[in-house]
Every structure is written in C-alpha cells, then in structure tokens.
Amino acid sequence: MSCIEVNGHTRLAGFFASPAKHSLSPTLHTTSFEELGINAVYLAFDIKPDQLDAAINSIRTLNMMGVNLSMPHKVNALPLMDELSKEATLIGAINTIVHKEGKLIGHNTDGFGFMESLRVNQVPIKNQTMTILGAGGAATAIVVQAALDGFEKIHLFSRPGERFDDMQKKIEELSDKVTCKITITNLFDLPALKQAISQSHLLVNSTSVGMTTDESLITDDAIFRKDLVVYDVIYNPRKTLLLKQAQSKGCQTINGLDMLLYQGAKAFNLWTNEDMPVKKVKEIIDTI
C-alpha cells in the first residue's frame, strides 16, 4: 500500500455526523484510495444539525466527490438534494451524497450493504422469509431493499410507539410497489414472534439491544434452529449475546461489520466508478 501525495489535484470525500470520530468509514475509504492509487482523501467532519445546510453547500463549493451521512442528517438532508435514487425515495432517508456534474444526488446504500452481505455469506434471498426486530432507519433500509431484491415475506416486530406507526405507514406505501408481503407486529407478542421465526430462514436484529449491555431480545433459546441464519446489524461488539445464543445452537451467524463494509463499497463505487478492494479493507478493519 502506498500513501497518497496530497496536491492540487487531490479530491475530497467525507463523513458528516455528530459525533463523527467513532466512524470506521475513514478507514474503509482511505485504505481503498491508497490501494487503488486514487488521488483522494476522506475526512470525518463533526456537523451539528444546525450546520447541515452550510455543510451540504460546501460539497459544491469545495468540489467534493461526496459524503456519507449519519442520523439525523440522513433525513434532514433529503430536501437539500437535486435528485434521489429509487431506494432513497422509498426508504425516506439517504446515507450517501454523490456530487456529479454540479448536482447533489442522494442515495441510500444501507439496504444494499445488507443484501450484498447475504450474497457473500451465501444466504438464500429469492422467495425467502425474514423476521426482523426493530423499526428504525436500519430496519427500513433492509426491508425496502429486501422487498426489491426478491424476499417473499418479511415479518417486522417492534415496540409500540412512533417508529411502529411510521413503519406501518411505510409498509402501506410499499404495498403497491413490491410483491413481498410485509407485516408489522408488537414485539411483546411472543407467540406471534415465535411463529414468525419458525417460518423464517433469517432472523435479523436491527435494534441497538446488545450494543452496550449483554442483552438479547430473544429469551427462548428453543427458537434457534440449526437451519436459521441469525444476523445482528451491531458490529461493536462483534459477537453480541444474540449471536452467542445462535452459535451455541449451531446457527450460521453474521454481524454488522459486513453490512458496514458493503454499504461503504457501494458508496465508493458511486463516487469513483471503481470497486472497493473489500478483501484488503476487511483485513484491516478486522484488526480494529
């Protein structure tokens, strides 16, 4: 790997978030730029909500390649875009902005990252059934992309509240655009949850439960069949209690690092028209 010599031709990409220092995105993209010899740098910028408009304008002013976004910028940046991708329109949020020919184009690569990680781990997609825990931004991106890519049924389970209501509306909007059957049910309806998982080949946790405490939303280990694939979108820690439970029952497990990697790879391709060297990048982030 060779370091990029910064000069007058160096392009800039970045990450707009608050806080921004925790992100692995600079490692993903800097490694890729250096590995492919692309004259560009990627920086993390701590952008507060009231600074977003000015930050978005700077993409044009500084002729940046584009940026990645975290919440709440993923939603607040929508009206500041010139165009939106199909996925971004359906999801109602963007995580990637591409600066192309003076236009700012909003994309959402979160769902792509999830689906690509399934393909890489050889998890069946077409005509399959998934149960997903949570109804936030990650869940929305996963549901939309999974429905577009050929899942037959998706069972969502979430705590009652604003997110539950928002997801119900999103499902209604999607119903005439996809053939996938999508339902949403109260997370505390345990009989319904057990039945849904028994009908699914994939169980996904899209909540933050297990990130800071050794907890799991699944309390009955009998739910874990050997042919069930269990996916936790959390990547820190790499092995949550949910994944430990699943592994103890012989299930195939996947953590959120793959989703992060492949959503980043899609953004990288949108900016550069080059394929991210994912093998090399994964070797590096596995050591972090």
Side-chain angles (χ1 to χ4, degrees), residues 269-288:
N269 179 260
L270 288 169
W271 292 330
T272 66
N273 290 319
E274 300 283 351
D275 292 333
M276 177 180 278
V278 292
K279 183 178 180 181
K280 181 65 176 180
V281 173
K282 195 171 192 302
E283 288 175 1
I284 291 175
I285 61 177
D286 275 342
T287 65
I288 298 176

PDB file of all heavy atoms in Angstrom, residues 269-288:
ATOM      1  N   ASN A 269     -18.037   3.052  -4.958  1.00  0.00           N
ATOM      2  CA  ASN A 269     -18.259   2.855  -6.396  1.00  0.00           C
ATOM      3  C   ASN A 269     -19.024   4.018  -7.013  1.00  0.00           C
ATOM      4  O   ASN A 269     -18.730   4.448  -8.134  1.00  0.00           O
ATOM      5  CB  ASN A 269     -18.997   1.540  -6.637  1.00  0.00           C
ATOM      6  CG  ASN A 269     -19.288   1.286  -8.101  1.00  0.00           C
ATOM      7  OD1 ASN A 269     -20.403   1.521  -8.567  1.00  0.00           O
ATOM      8  ND2 ASN A 269     -18.300   0.826  -8.840  1.00  0.00           N
ATOM      9  N   LEU A 270     -20.007   4.539  -6.282  1.00  0.00           N
ATOM     10  CA  LEU A 270     -20.787   5.667  -6.792  1.00  0.00           C
ATOM     11  C   LEU A 270     -19.899   6.907  -6.975  1.00  0.00           C
ATOM     12  O   LEU A 270     -20.096   7.686  -7.908  1.00  0.00           O
ATOM     13  CB  LEU A 270     -21.933   5.989  -5.830  1.00  0.00           C
ATOM     14  CG  LEU A 270     -23.092   4.985  -5.793  1.00  0.00           C
ATOM     15  CD1 LEU A 270     -24.009   5.273  -4.610  1.00  0.00           C
ATOM     16  CD2 LEU A 270     -23.881   5.022  -7.096  1.00  0.00           C
ATOM     17  N   TRP A 271     -18.917   7.091  -6.099  1.00  0.00           N
ATOM     18  CA  TRP A 271     -18.020   8.251  -6.185  1.00  0.00           C
ATOM     19  C   TRP A 271     -16.938   8.087  -7.241  1.00  0.00           C
ATOM     20  O   TRP A 271     -16.566   9.050  -7.904  1.00  0.00           O
ATOM     21  CB  TRP A 271     -17.332   8.492  -4.837  1.00  0.00           C
ATOM     22  CG  TRP A 271     -18.230   8.941  -3.740  1.00  0.00           C
ATOM     23  CD1 TRP A 271     -19.383   9.676  -3.856  1.00  0.00           C
ATOM     24  CD2 TRP A 271     -18.063   8.691  -2.342  1.00  0.00           C
ATOM     25  NE1 TRP A 271     -19.935   9.890  -2.621  1.00  0.00           N
ATOM     26  CE2 TRP A 271     -19.144   9.306  -1.668  1.00  0.00           C
ATOM     27  CE3 TRP A 271     -17.104   8.018  -1.594  1.00  0.00           C
ATOM     28  CZ2 TRP A 271     -19.285   9.257  -0.288  1.00  0.00           C
ATOM     29  CZ3 TRP A 271     -17.230   7.962  -0.215  1.00  0.00           C
ATOM     30  CH2 TRP A 271     -18.321   8.586   0.429  1.00  0.00           C
ATOM     31  N   THR A 272     -16.408   6.873  -7.381  1.00  0.00           N
ATOM     32  CA  THR A 272     -15.187   6.671  -8.169  1.00  0.00           C
ATOM     33  C   THR A 272     -15.366   5.828  -9.425  1.00  0.00           C
ATOM     34  O   THR A 272     -14.468   5.795 -10.268  1.00  0.00           O
ATOM     35  CB  THR A 272     -14.113   5.983  -7.304  1.00  0.00           C
ATOM     36  OG1 THR A 272     -14.561   4.646  -6.989  1.00  0.00           O
ATOM     37  CG2 THR A 272     -13.858   6.741  -6.006  1.00  0.00           C
ATOM     38  N   ASN A 273     -16.497   5.117  -9.535  1.00  0.00           N
ATOM     39  CA  ASN A 273     -16.701   4.123 -10.604  1.00  0.00           C
ATOM     40  C   ASN A 273     -15.687   2.983 -10.511  1.00  0.00           C
ATOM     41  O   ASN A 273     -15.441   2.287 -11.505  1.00  0.00           O
ATOM     42  CB  ASN A 273     -16.632   4.771 -11.991  1.00  0.00           C
ATOM     43  CG  ASN A 273     -17.815   5.673 -12.272  1.00  0.00           C
ATOM     44  OD1 ASN A 273     -18.952   5.343 -11.928  1.00  0.00           O
ATOM     45  ND2 ASN A 273     -17.557   6.826 -12.857  1.00  0.00           N
ATOM     46  N   GLU A 274     -15.106   2.794  -9.348  1.00  0.00           N
ATOM     47  CA  GLU A 274     -14.168   1.700  -9.094  1.00  0.00           C
ATOM     48  C   GLU A 274     -14.728   0.793  -8.002  1.00  0.00           C
ATOM     49  O   GLU A 274     -15.526   1.227  -7.174  1.00  0.00           O
ATOM     50  CB  GLU A 274     -12.806   2.248  -8.639  1.00  0.00           C
ATOM     51  CG  GLU A 274     -12.118   3.159  -9.636  1.00  0.00           C
ATOM     52  CD  GLU A 274     -11.462   2.394 -10.774  1.00  0.00           C
ATOM     53  OE1 GLU A 274     -11.398   1.147 -10.702  1.00  0.00           O
ATOM     54  OE2 GLU A 274     -11.003   3.051 -11.733  1.00  0.00           O
ATOM     55  N   ASP A 275     -14.298  -0.471  -8.020  1.00  0.00           N
ATOM     56  CA  ASP A 275     -14.720  -1.414  -6.988  1.00  0.00           C
ATOM     57  C   ASP A 275     -13.799  -1.312  -5.778  1.00  0.00           C
ATOM     58  O   ASP A 275     -12.570  -1.355  -5.917  1.00  0.00           O
ATOM     59  CB  ASP A 275     -14.689  -2.849  -7.526  1.00  0.00           C
ATOM     60  CG  ASP A 275     -15.747  -3.090  -8.595  1.00  0.00           C
ATOM     61  OD1 ASP A 275     -16.785  -2.402  -8.568  1.00  0.00           O
ATOM     62  OD2 ASP A 275     -15.519  -3.961  -9.463  1.00  0.00           O
ATOM     63  N   MET A 276     -14.387  -1.172  -4.611  1.00  0.00           N
ATOM     64  CA  MET A 276     -13.600  -1.142  -3.383  1.00  0.00           C
ATOM     65  C   MET A 276     -12.860  -2.466  -3.209  1.00  0.00           C
ATOM     66  O   MET A 276     -13.457  -3.539  -3.420  1.00  0.00           O
ATOM     67  CB  MET A 276     -14.505  -0.899  -2.175  1.00  0.00           C
ATOM     68  CG  MET A 276     -13.790  -0.931  -0.830  1.00  0.00           C
ATOM     69  SD  MET A 276     -14.890  -0.631   0.584  1.00  0.00           S
ATOM     70  CE  MET A 276     -14.976   1.158   0.557  1.00  0.00           C
ATOM     71  N   PRO A 277     -11.591  -2.454  -2.842  1.00  0.00           N
ATOM     72  CA  PRO A 277     -10.858  -3.695  -2.572  1.00  0.00           C
ATOM     73  C   PRO A 277     -11.286  -4.282  -1.227  1.00  0.00           C
ATOM     74  O   PRO A 277     -10.574  -4.166  -0.219  1.00  0.00           O
ATOM     75  CB  PRO A 277      -9.391  -3.243  -2.572  1.00  0.00           C
ATOM     76  CG  PRO A 277      -9.439  -1.812  -2.151  1.00  0.00           C
ATOM     77  CD  PRO A 277     -10.730  -1.257  -2.715  1.00  0.00           C
ATOM     78  N   VAL A 278     -12.466  -4.885  -1.214  1.00  0.00           N
ATOM     79  CA  VAL A 278     -13.098  -5.268   0.047  1.00  0.00           C
ATOM     80  C   VAL A 278     -12.274  -6.266   0.862  1.00  0.00           C
ATOM     81  O   VAL A 278     -12.288  -6.229   2.088  1.00  0.00           O
ATOM     82  CB  VAL A 278     -14.531  -5.802  -0.180  1.00  0.00           C
ATOM     83  CG1 VAL A 278     -15.451  -4.699  -0.637  1.00  0.00           C
ATOM     84  CG2 VAL A 278     -14.528  -6.945  -1.171  1.00  0.00           C
ATOM     85  N   LYS A 279     -11.567  -7.158   0.174  1.00  0.00           N
ATOM     86  CA  LYS A 279     -10.763  -8.146   0.903  1.00  0.00           C
ATOM     87  C   LYS A 279      -9.691  -7.456   1.731  1.00  0.00           C
ATOM     88  O   LYS A 279      -9.500  -7.772   2.914  1.00  0.00           O
ATOM     89  CB  LYS A 279     -10.129  -9.137  -0.071  1.00  0.00           C
ATOM     90  CG  LYS A 279      -9.348 -10.243   0.614  1.00  0.00           C
ATOM     91  CD  LYS A 279      -8.776 -11.238  -0.390  1.00  0.00           C
ATOM     92  CE  LYS A 279      -7.991 -12.338   0.310  1.00  0.00           C
ATOM     93  NZ  LYS A 279      -7.400 -13.308  -0.674  1.00  0.00           N
ATOM     94  N   LYS A 280      -9.007  -6.497   1.125  1.00  0.00           N
ATOM     95  CA  LYS A 280      -7.953  -5.766   1.821  1.00  0.00           C
ATOM     96  C   LYS A 280      -8.539  -4.919   2.951  1.00  0.00           C
ATOM     97  O   LYS A 280      -7.993  -4.871   4.063  1.00  0.00           O
ATOM     98  CB  LYS A 280      -7.208  -4.864   0.833  1.00  0.00           C
ATOM     99  CG  LYS A 280      -6.066  -4.078   1.454  1.00  0.00           C
ATOM    100  CD  LYS A 280      -4.955  -5.013   1.933  1.00  0.00           C
ATOM    101  CE  LYS A 280      -3.766  -4.224   2.459  1.00  0.00           C
ATOM    102  NZ  LYS A 280      -2.689  -5.118   2.911  1.00  0.00           N
ATOM    103  N   VAL A 281      -9.656  -4.258   2.671  1.00  0.00           N
ATOM    104  CA  VAL A 281     -10.286  -3.411   3.675  1.00  0.00           C
ATOM    105  C   VAL A 281     -10.739  -4.242   4.872  1.00  0.00           C
ATOM    106  O   VAL A 281     -10.562  -3.851   6.026  1.00  0.00           O
ATOM    107  CB  VAL A 281     -11.479  -2.632   3.066  1.00  0.00           C
ATOM    108  CG1 VAL A 281     -12.240  -1.896   4.154  1.00  0.00           C
ATOM    109  CG2 VAL A 281     -10.995  -1.662   2.000  1.00  0.00           C
ATOM    110  N   LYS A 282     -11.315  -5.410   4.582  1.00  0.00           N
ATOM    111  CA  LYS A 282     -11.808  -6.275   5.658  1.00  0.00           C
ATOM    112  C   LYS A 282     -10.652  -6.757   6.534  1.00  0.00           C
ATOM    113  O   LYS A 282     -10.781  -6.856   7.759  1.00  0.00           O
ATOM    114  CB  LYS A 282     -12.571  -7.461   5.087  1.00  0.00           C
ATOM    115  CG  LYS A 282     -13.420  -8.215   6.135  1.00  0.00           C
ATOM    116  CD  LYS A 282     -14.313  -9.236   5.487  1.00  0.00           C
ATOM    117  CE  LYS A 282     -15.353  -9.760   6.475  1.00  0.00           C
ATOM    118  NZ  LYS A 282     -14.785 -10.350   7.672  1.00  0.00           N
ATOM    119  N   GLU A 283      -9.523  -7.058   5.917  1.00  0.00           N
ATOM    120  CA  GLU A 283      -8.355  -7.481   6.693  1.00  0.00           C
ATOM    121  C   GLU A 283      -7.959  -6.415   7.705  1.00  0.00           C
ATOM    122  O   GLU A 283      -7.586  -6.715   8.842  1.00  0.00           O
ATOM    123  CB  GLU A 283      -7.163  -7.753   5.761  1.00  0.00           C
ATOM    124  CG  GLU A 283      -7.295  -9.014   4.933  1.00  0.00           C
ATOM    125  CD  GLU A 283      -6.142  -9.167   3.946  1.00  0.00           C
ATOM    126  OE1 GLU A 283      -5.237  -8.292   3.927  1.00  0.00           O
ATOM    127  OE2 GLU A 283      -6.139 -10.148   3.176  1.00  0.00           O
ATOM    128  N   ILE A 284      -8.065  -5.155   7.288  1.00  0.00           N
ATOM    129  CA  ILE A 284      -7.646  -4.053   8.153  1.00  0.00           C
ATOM    130  C   ILE A 284      -8.662  -3.787   9.255  1.00  0.00           C
ATOM    131  O   ILE A 284      -8.316  -3.656  10.436  1.00  0.00           O
ATOM    132  CB  ILE A 284      -7.392  -2.786   7.322  1.00  0.00           C
ATOM    133  CG1 ILE A 284      -6.136  -2.985   6.456  1.00  0.00           C
ATOM    134  CG2 ILE A 284      -7.229  -1.556   8.215  1.00  0.00           C
ATOM    135  CD1 ILE A 284      -5.852  -1.866   5.510  1.00  0.00           C
ATOM    136  N   ILE A 285      -9.969  -3.719   8.897  1.00  0.00           N
ATOM    137  CA  ILE A 285     -10.956  -3.409   9.919  1.00  0.00           C
ATOM    138  C   ILE A 285     -11.171  -4.561  10.897  1.00  0.00           C
ATOM    139  O   ILE A 285     -11.634  -4.350  12.015  1.00  0.00           O
ATOM    140  CB  ILE A 285     -12.317  -2.962   9.313  1.00  0.00           C
ATOM    141  CG1 ILE A 285     -12.927  -4.057   8.451  1.00  0.00           C
ATOM    142  CG2 ILE A 285     -12.148  -1.691   8.522  1.00  0.00           C
ATOM    143  CD1 ILE A 285     -14.305  -3.679   7.902  1.00  0.00           C
ATOM    144  N   ASP A 286     -10.799  -5.782  10.492  1.00  0.00           N
ATOM    145  CA  ASP A 286     -10.896  -6.913  11.405  1.00  0.00           C
ATOM    146  C   ASP A 286      -9.898  -6.794  12.548  1.00  0.00           C
ATOM    147  O   ASP A 286     -10.037  -7.446  13.588  1.00  0.00           O
ATOM    148  CB  ASP A 286     -10.650  -8.235  10.663  1.00  0.00           C
ATOM    149  CG  ASP A 286     -11.911  -8.766  10.005  1.00  0.00           C
ATOM    150  OD1 ASP A 286     -13.008  -8.333  10.391  1.00  0.00           O
ATOM    151  OD2 ASP A 286     -11.797  -9.615   9.092  1.00  0.00           O
ATOM    152  N   THR A 287      -8.881  -5.963  12.353  1.00  0.00           N
ATOM    153  CA  THR A 287      -7.866  -5.793  13.398  1.00  0.00           C
ATOM    154  C   THR A 287      -8.175  -4.632  14.330  1.00  0.00           C
ATOM    155  O   THR A 287      -7.466  -4.426  15.322  1.00  0.00           O
ATOM    156  CB  THR A 287      -6.477  -5.543  12.759  1.00  0.00           C
ATOM    157  OG1 THR A 287      -6.497  -4.285  12.053  1.00  0.00           O
ATOM    158  CG2 THR A 287      -6.122  -6.650  11.790  1.00  0.00           C
ATOM    159  N   ILE A 288      -9.201  -3.861  13.999  1.00  0.00           N
ATOM    160  CA  ILE A 288      -9.546  -2.676  14.804  1.00  0.00           C
ATOM    161  C   ILE A 288     -10.419  -3.046  15.997  1.00  0.00           C
ATOM    162  O   ILE A 288     -11.362  -3.812  15.851  1.00  0.00           O
ATOM    163  CB  ILE A 288     -10.270  -1.628  13.937  1.00  0.00           C
ATOM    164  CG1 ILE A 288      -9.335  -1.158  12.824  1.00  0.00           C
ATOM    165  CG2 ILE A 288     -10.718  -0.433  14.780  1.00  0.00           C
ATOM    166  CD1 ILE A 288      -9.982  -0.203  11.846  1.00  0.00           C
TER     167      ILE A 288
END
